[in-house]
Amino acid sequence: MKILVPQKQVIDMGVVPAGGRYDFSTKSGLRIINPFCAIALEEAVKLKEKGLATEIVVVTIGDGDCQKLMAKSLACGADRAILIETDADDLLLPLDIACMLQNLVAVENPDLILMGKQSVDFDNNQVGQMLSALLDWPLINAASKLGLENNLMTVEHEVDDGVQTHAFMLPGIVTVDLHINEPRSPGLAEVVKARSKPVSTYPCADFLPEHKKHIDVIDIYAPQRDVAIKMLGDIKDLAEVIKTHAYRQ
């Protein structure tokens, strides 16, 4: 069984820059693997360690700076990596990403796509669902536990009043939630071994010929953590606070 695991590079919101403003174009030291994507990769590695998968392929859509991300993914257990290269300032829509993955699936023919349910930068939670519709593959979202036997994938996910269990025959898509596992940190031996694993790079146009830029990122600020709590007397006071502070930079 071949598993395709999309990986996204996101800003490390745990490191707050001076002034609280993140520079979206800055690369060094501020980018990490999206936590949901890291969890998806760990789950794929666990399936391979159980003898249920033969190959894990990670795919990243981004600029050349994503090489560090792919190197870590390879060190964590992926067998090879694919970079679909885009411009550094190009922010793709979820549908763009889903279309690119659809075209990649036609080339790679994976049996299972394991991915994070969302990214922590824009929180869209849309790519898995869109990709499922484009491929006409079954999808289970926000998985908290996986099982596989005779090409039958069983998936648990938490709901308000308990846990639901679903099943489908491969091929299919599973997006993972937090707490399904704890991603491993690769050791020196794994990092060295990853250097010999293959990395393929393709231009964006190979997988999305009609791509156009839709969104510009203007500013990204860390949330204010030192705002004092103030008790308001009535709805008029609330309206005044909103009027005064809603557009404060």
Side-chain angles (χ1 to χ4, degrees), residues 78-148:
D79 297 295
R80 57 188 176 91
I82 296 171
L83 172 62
I84 301 177
E85 199 162 20
T86 63
D87 294 335
D89 62 345
D90 201 357
L91 181 60
L92 296 170
L93 296 176
L95 183 57
D96 292 330
I97 297 171
C99 289
M100 295 172 82
L101 292 176
Q102 177 194 21
N103 292 328
L104 179 63
V105 166
V107 176
E108 289 291 329
N109 295 309
D111 302 287
L112 174 65
I113 300 174
L114 259 178
M115 58 195 302
K117 72 170 187 177
Q118 64 196 70
S119 60
V120 297
D121 47 7
F122 297 101
D123 279 333
N124 288 315
N125 188 7
Q126 295 176 344
V127 175
Q129 293 90 323
M130 290 178 174
L131 181 58
S132 170
L134 291 170
L135 292 172
D136 195 22
W137 282 14
L139 163 74
I140 304 297
N141 199 36
S144 58
K145 186 177 180 180
L146 300 183
L148 178 64

